[in-house]
Amino acid sequence: MKYFSLFIVLLVFTGCKKELNYKEIPKGINIELADGTLGIYPVTDNAVRIKLFKEEEPEIPEFIFTNNPETPEFKTTETSSKLAVTLKNLQVVVDKKTGRLSYASPTGKIFLQEKAGSRRLVPDSVEGEPCFIAEQGFESPEDESVFGLGQFQDGHYNLKGVTRRLTQVNSQISIPFIYSSKGYGLLWHQYGLTDYNPADNLIELKKQEQPAGDEELIEVTTTAGTQKVSQNQTLYTGQFSVPEDGEYSVFLDLGDMGNRYYVVIDGKPYIDQTNMWLPPTVGTIANLEKGEHNVQVICKSDNKPKLSWKLNDNSTIFRSPNAKELDYVVFYGPSADKVISSYRNLSGNAPMFPKWAYGFWQCRERYTSGKQLVETVEEFRNRELPMDVIVQDWQYWGSKGWGVPQLDEENYPNPSGFISEIHDMNARFCISIWSNPDKNSELGREYVNRNRFIPGTKWLDYFNPKTRQEYWNTLNENLFVHGVDAWWMDAVEPENDALEGTQTHIGPGNFYRLTYPLMVSKAVYEGQRNTTSDKRVCILTRSAFSGQQKYGMINWSGDIGGTWDGYRRQILAGLNFTITGLPYWTSDIGGFFRPGPSQYTDERYHELLTRWFQWGTFNPIFRVHGYQSETEPWKYGPTVEANMRKMLNLRYRLIPYIYSEAWNITQNGSTMMRPLVMDFREDTEAVNHLYQYMFGNSFLVAPVTQPDVLEREVYLPETTSWYDFWTGKHFNGGQTINANAPMDQIPLFVKAGSIVPMDKISQHTGESNADSLEIRIYQGADGSFSLYEDEGDNYNYENGKFSVVPFEYNEQNQTLVIGDREGQYPGYLKTRVFNIVLVNEDSGMGIAREEKKKTVTYSGSKIEIKL
């Protein structure tokens, strides 16, 4: 008994100091835990990568982080209860008792913590290969807001507590990256399906019998052409019980693409969305009382719905069922720009697009001949409607086979000729290309014979470098040599999450099912870059993955509906997409699925189209599109055309501002379309405003999102003051105002301290050489702006062939300093005129009275102007 008591005493005292078995290695430290090896690997001075693996660290292709910087300096320290890894701008603390990780700022303030006991790496298998279910939870304080995850159509802005399934399907782009109002970013570094805040409590649904009747059929666009698809719907009912009053996440999985989400709990609709295509899954938040609840689900008849729920408990959870290790990266800002620039420095910076890409893109489904393309450009020029890009949608291949990138000789004879005619009118030509050329076509058989398709599918295997090279060769030989300027890559998900259960060149598709669009962009970008440096790569694509920004890509939001509801969802989808580090995004202005022939005369639709067009003016890329629609402005009558012309003229006047902001993206890792959390993180009111955002550093955009509205409430963030762009009227920040919104303008405000360069009205981006710019000064705070210029369409800027003219405004002294020009490029303007406007109520609407301007001639040397 005495010896036993001594043993207990020794055990207690030795247990006071918990030892961790860890080892420093060149890239960080490895800690041996009961459930595997926990790796803490600093990757920049404000970011750390965390891994958990069994036995040895697995070899996995690195698709995201391709820049391979040196491991930053770090220090490891230890106390009786904690182990700390300290970087210059971030500290990781390991609780020795629980193994839980906490993340702190340089001052020691914790901004993120793992949820105790939530780290899981459970052995499993997929397609006969071993894998793990990888899961990690994080504490999410009550006042936290979370953004990101890519482009979803569920209408959520703040993602705290929302359940989402990350798959790649038409209109849904899954990017496993979030940014928090607490000032951190988190990349869940997995390539396979991921569940965000998984809802595991399944509700048993009972299918109700349908009354007899004829099936309703409707024509829709599919990868096999125009098909008739059943739109019949089925009702399901069920009951479920929840353990307590609270906020619950409810998650619907249709099993496949659908056309209707409708979830009613206790008679109250919580999800109600209709479109020709809808992604298979959608989530919502419901406040429910303890006890039993009745539920109804309506969906497409051939869907197989599953409905589940979870109690929200102030946590954020990531789960990947087909993983090879647990792997995530934490970035600390606290600013979003710092987080995103750090992420891009690791994953690749976004290159500059040609200057013309920032103008207007005219697109429709579809132009049917080279002659029609040329005539459309001519009409834009005749009507003085600015335009830079005209787009050829699908089926230009005629009888050559589905998706074959070859122009039909009957309707598109002499491709070099008609593309040259487009170029002669100072427009550019973009063409739709697909990742699934018909296997029975002449080209398809060649790919089949070389085993370039993913076995058992219609999708090319871009994981194979030989496929990527051969695909580019095909594009080059058939299209690029004729003068094609940009690529519209459709159905690159591959469509409808098609990698599940396949075997790719590098292994089971389940491991890599989110990354297919990344590899398609890689094929075209690297192919064109290796062919020429004289023409910048410009890719419009329907899907994306983390790191894809380095491949010269723009995303658009897929086949969305032309309704007010669909329009509102695009605003939130775009903002959550761009905060994931992929800066270029757009939507089909007016919606892809439109009302049909009535669209040209229906004034109700004209209102939606006009408002959508106004918002599109302040997207990174400005583009219209529509299914079976003639989308040209004049098709909708003189009023719509005039309203569109006004916004087109404004977009083109702002090109110097937009192009300089684009350089800020490339050079500094900035973002053009900015959720308010990026600039006003500590202003809770601003963070919670859904339909407002910053466009670059200066403009606050507040699109009209409801019909029959001629004014709307706009919240002006605190910490600064604001100017109404149209009137020049000044407002203090931290208040909500009623902004005028006549049918020909969008509510638009400019931040005090802004310096905004504006060009003359032009018909294309190459028309003005910016020899005379208006420089608008919005007083009330110090400000700066760097006017960036280059040749516009080659990669000489990568070798320093560009110029920057710095502007500095001093509020106290009321002076503007135009600094020495930095750099030069072939054809740069040695001398130019700047018309300086100090904005007030006499100088609104982007036009200043002549007597209010101060005109200076600038020859590259510093000038100081007293205002």
Side-chain angles (χ1 to χ4, degrees):
M1 187 70 181
K2 180 168 62 178
Y3 289 118
F4 180 73
S5 298
L6 178 62
F7 172 76
I8 293 296
V9 170
L10 288 172
L11 182 64
V12 169
F13 276 97
T14 55
C16 287
K17 185 175 182 180
K18 177 74 173 177
E19 298 293 338
L20 275 183
N21 182 14
Y22 75 91
K23 178 174 66 175
E24 286 199 12
I25 59 176
K27 66 178 181 177
I29 68 169
N30 283 337
I31 305 172
E32 298 303 323
L33 300 177
D35 54 353
T37 300
L38 179 67
I40 302 177
Y41 308 137
V43 288
T44 70
D45 62 14
N46 69 323
V48 63
R49 189 169 186 173
I50 306 299
K51 291 190 176 188
L52 179 68
F53 50 88
K54 306 287 188 178
E55 300 174 357
E56 295 184 354
E57 186 177 354
E59 292 187 7
I60 303 172
E62 181 54 76
F63 293 145
I64 302 175
F65 295 148
T66 55
N67 284 348
N68 298 321
E70 292 184 5
T71 300
E73 290 185 6
F74 66 92
K75 181 174 65 174
T76 306
T77 56
E78 190 174 8
T79 67
S80 61
S81 61
K82 296 179 180 179
L83 177 70
V85 177
T86 303
L87 292 72
K88 181 180 178 181
N89 293 310
L90 172 65
Q91 186 179 80
V92 187
V93 179
V94 187
D95 185 307
K96 287 186 173 183
K97 184 177 181 180
T98 65
R100 181 172 74 160
L101 301 183
S102 300
Y103 302 88
S105 70
T107 63
K109 182 178 180 181
I110 292 175
F111 60 82
L112 175 66
Q113 287 182 300
E114 291 183 341
K115 187 177 180 181
S118 66
R119 188 188 302 132
R120 297 175 61 225
L121 195 61
V122 181
D124 203 349
S125 64
V126 61
E127 299 298 316
E129 288 205 21
C131 69
F132 295 94
I133 301 170
E135 181 173 327
Q136 180 67 67
F138 301 90
E139 302 288 348
S140 179
E142 191 73 37
D143 61 344
E144 181 176 38
S145 297
V146 179
F147 304 91
L149 293 184
Q151 170 198 283
F152 281 69
Q153 301 297 330
D154 56 19
H156 291 293
Y157 184 50
N158 179 0
L159 307 181
K160 179 179 168 64
V162 174
T163 297
R164 281 181 168 176
R165 174 157 293 164
L166 273 62
T167 55
Q168 309 288 30
V169 294
N170 188 343
S171 79
Q172 176 174 296
I173 303 172
S174 294
I175 311 291
F177 184 98
I178 57 173
Y179 174 75
S180 164
S181 61
K182 297 299 180 182
Y184 69 86
L186 192 150
L187 171 69
W188 182 252
H189 196 286
Q190 296 289 346
Y191 301 148
L193 178 147
T194 291
D195 284 314
Y196 175 78
N197 295 329
D200 295 328
N201 301 289
L202 199 62
I203 301 170
E204 184 177 352
L205 295 175
K206 183 178 180 180
K207 185 175 183 179
Q208 302 301 302
E209 293 298 324
Q210 282 187 286
D214 295 333
E215 255 192 343
E216 180 187 356
L217 300 177
I218 192 166
E219 287 189 350
V220 296
T221 304
T222 73
T223 56
T226 300
Q227 295 185 352
K228 291 186 176 181
V229 176
S230 169
Q231 299 295 291
N232 280 359
Q233 297 169 346
T234 298
L235 171 66
Y236 292 79
T237 59
Q239 294 82 37
F240 67 106
S241 179
V242 298
E244 60 184 86
D245 294 356
E247 182 183 88
Y248 288 82
S249 181
V250 179
F251 182 67
L252 175 65
D253 179 3
L254 299 179
D256 201 350
M257 296 288 283
N259 58 45
R260 183 81 189 278
Y261 305 136
Y262 193 65
V263 176
V264 176
I265 302 174
D266 299 331
K268 179 181 177 180
Y270 280 88
I271 303 175
D272 185 2
Q273 188 177 351
T274 303
N275 189 38
M276 203 67 67
W277 308 120
L278 288 172
T281 61
V282 64
T284 194
I285 300 294
N287 288 298
L288 302 176
E289 295 180 351
K290 177 182 177 180
E292 294 287 331
H293 298 274
N294 295 311
V295 65
Q296 295 174 302
V297 175
I298 295 177
C299 62
K300 191 177 171 184
S301 292
D302 57 0
N303 288 143
K304 298 177 181 178
K306 295 178 181 179
L307 193 67
S308 57
W309 60 270
K310 72 178 288 289
L311 174 65
N312 286 344
D313 57 356
N314 285 322
S315 65
T316 295
I317 300 169
F318 288 89
R319 178 194 296 161
S320 293
N322 305 136
K324 296 188 177 182
E325 62 183 352
L326 189 150
D327 185 359
Y328 69 89
V329 185
V330 174
F331 300 85
Y332 180 62
S335 74
D337 281 328
K338 178 63 175 175
V339 166
I340 290 172
S341 65
S342 300
Y343 156 79
R344 289 208 203 120
N345 285 337
L346 293 168
S347 61
N349 290 310
M352 289 290 288
F353 288 113
K355 192 173 184 179
W356 49 257
Y358 302 98
F360 178 63
W361 295 48
Q362 170 58 33
C363 184
R364 79 184 208 193
E365 198 283 317
R366 61 188 172 85
Y367 296 108
T368 57
S369 69
K371 182 174 181 289
Q372 190 179 36
L373 289 160
V374 170
E375 289 174 346
T376 301
V377 177
E378 287 176 338
E379 190 64 14
F380 268 87
R381 297 292 181 246
N382 291 337
R383 290 175 178 266
E384 295 188 341
L385 289 163
M387 185 267 283
D388 264 271
V389 187
I390 192 160
V391 184
Q392 173 63 57
D393 201 351
W394 63 344
Q395 298 193 54
Y396 56 82
W397 45 75
S399 61
K400 295 181 183 297
W402 174 265
V404 173
Q406 296 173 340
L407 288 158
D408 167 45
E409 292 88 350
E410 181 178 350
N411 294 307
Y412 302 88
N414 187 15
S416 296
F418 83 77
I419 295 175
S420 179
E421 288 185 66
I422 291 171
H423 289 167
D424 289 343
M425 290 183 284
N426 296 289
R428 299 298 187 276
F429 181 60
C430 176
I431 193 166
S432 171
I433 54 175
W434 293 64
S435 300
N436 58 334
D438 183 359
K439 288 184 174 182
N440 294 316
S441 67
E442 181 179 348
L443 175 66
R445 289 194 295 271
E446 293 176 6
Y447 281 126
V448 169
N449 292 337
R450 294 193 294 269
N451 297 316
R452 300 298 184 242
F453 284 91
I454 297 172
T457 79
K458 61 184 178 181
W459 304 100
L460 290 171
D461 191 345
Y462 293 97
F463 296 101
N464 185 340
K466 292 182 179 178
T467 305
R468 295 197 297 270
Q469 180 61 56
E470 291 170 9
Y471 184 69
W472 168 252
N473 290 342
T474 297
L475 296 180
N476 188 29
E477 294 165 4
N478 292 309
L479 298 173
F480 192 61
V481 295
H482 295 298
V484 166
D485 301 291
W487 310 100
W488 178 13
M489 301 198 307
D490 215 335
V492 293
E493 294 84 359
E495 199 161 61
N496 302 341
D497 195 24
L499 286 192
E500 183 182 8
T502 66
Q503 189 71 28
T504 75
H505 179 74
I506 58 173
N510 292 65
F511 286 131
Y512 305 106
R513 61 200 281 188
L514 296 185
T515 67
Y516 188 85
L518 177 79
M519 307 312 291
V520 184
S521 291
K522 177 182 174 74
V524 176
Y525 179 82
E526 292 184 345
Q528 184 173 325
R529 286 299 311 258
N530 290 333
T531 300
T532 180
S533 291
D534 294 334
K535 183 178 284 190
R536 295 178 193 169
V537 182
C538 188
I539 297 170
L540 178 68
T541 184
R542 201 172 73 183
S543 193
F545 188 67
S546 298
Q548 197 165 326
Q549 75 280 344
K550 60 180 165 282
Y551 294 135
M553 47 74 68
I554 304 155
N555 274 95
W556 98 96
S557 57
D559 297 348
I560 53 173
T563 64
W564 285 97
D565 180 59
Y567 161 50
R568 286 188 292 270
R569 292 174 188 273
Q570 301 323 299
I571 299 172
L572 306 183
L575 293 174
N576 271 315
F577 179 83
T578 58
I579 205 170
T580 64
L582 288 81
Y584 289 106
W585 182 90
T586 187
S587 75
D588 291 353
I589 291 174
F592 181 68
F593 293 113
R594 297 184 174 208
S598 68
Q599 67 183 284
Y600 307 112
T601 55
D602 182 355
E603 292 186 0
R604 303 294 291 175
Y605 178 74
H606 291 178
E607 182 182 10
L608 169 63
L609 178 62
T610 299
R611 294 305 194 187
W612 203 324
F613 199 88
Q614 290 168 357
W615 170 62
T617 306
F618 293 93
N619 281 197
I621 301 298
F622 185 16
R623 169 183 165 274
V624 71
H625 187 47
Y627 177 55
Q628 294 184 340
S629 299
E630 297 180 351
T631 61
E632 295 79 14
W634 57 88
K635 302 293 184 178
Y636 298 88
T639 300
V640 173
E641 181 181 352
N643 289 340
M644 288 183 171
R645 181 181 288 103
K646 179 174 180 175
M647 299 313 295
L648 286 164
N649 287 341
L650 176 57
R651 175 76 176 201
Y652 278 76
R653 290 204 67 196
L654 287 173
I655 288 295
Y657 171 83
I658 293 169
Y659 200 56
S660 297
E661 288 288 346
W663 172 246
N664 202 20
I665 290 171
T666 297
Q667 179 72 1
N668 301 314
S670 186
T671 300
M672 194 180 299
M673 188 176 182
R674 307 169 62 83
L676 294 186
V677 71
M678 295 188 71
D679 297 288
F680 309 100
R681 182 175 61 87
E682 296 181 350
D683 184 343
T684 304
E685 180 75 12
V687 169
N688 291 329
H689 271 271
L690 282 68
Y691 301 114
Q692 296 181 202
Y693 64 96
M694 293 296 291
F695 185 67
N697 184 59
S698 298
F699 286 92
L700 176 69
V701 183
V704 174
T705 60
Q706 301 286 346
D708 302 319
V709 168
L710 296 178
E711 67 175 22
R712 64 153 289 183
E713 288 188 346
V714 177
Y715 175 73
L716 302 175
E718 58 188 10
T719 73
T720 189
S721 60
W722 300 87
Y723 289 82
D724 185 316
F725 174 78
W726 301 104
T727 67
K729 186 176 179 180
H730 178 261
F731 297 90
N732 291 325
Q735 64 170 321
T736 298
I737 66 168
N738 284 321
N740 288 330
M743 277 303 299
D744 65 342
Q745 70 185 44
I746 181 174
L748 190 63
F749 294 83
V750 185
K751 185 173 66 176
S754 294
I755 301 172
V756 178
M758 295 188 70
D759 204 344
K760 301 176 288 293
I761 292 174
S762 59
Q763 298 307 303
H764 53 85
T765 54
E767 184 175 63
S768 172
N769 59 13
D771 57 347
S772 175
L773 289 181
E774 186 172 289
I775 308 297
R776 301 181 66 78
I777 310 298
Y778 293 83
Q779 57 189 330
D782 292 344
S784 63
F785 187 83
S786 295
L787 178 65
Y788 172 83
E789 295 169 313
D790 62 21
E791 293 172 87
D793 192 4
N794 58 42
Y795 287 98
N796 289 341
Y797 74 87
E798 293 182 341
N799 300 314
K801 302 292 186 182
F802 61 85
S803 77
V804 174
V805 178
F807 293 80
E808 296 281 344
Y809 170 68
N810 184 287
E811 171 70 10
Q812 182 176 352
N813 299 330
Q814 293 280 288
T815 57
L816 175 69
V817 175
I818 307 174
D820 293 332
R821 181 192 296 115
E822 302 166 10
Q824 55 186 257
Y825 58 91
Y828 79 99
L829 289 169
K830 296 180 180 180
T831 301
R832 63 205 309 177
V833 172
F834 291 134
N835 296 306
I836 316 300
V837 178
L838 197 63
V839 174
N840 54 42
E841 291 189 45
D842 291 329
S843 54
M845 297 190 298
I847 301 172
R849 287 162 46 187
E850 290 301 320
E851 63 270 24
K852 297 295 182 178
K853 296 180 181 179
K854 284 197 173 183
T855 298
V856 298
T857 300
Y858 176 75
S859 300
S861 297
K862 180 179 176 180
I863 303 176
E864 183 170 324
I865 304 116
K866 183 70 175 176
L867 300 175

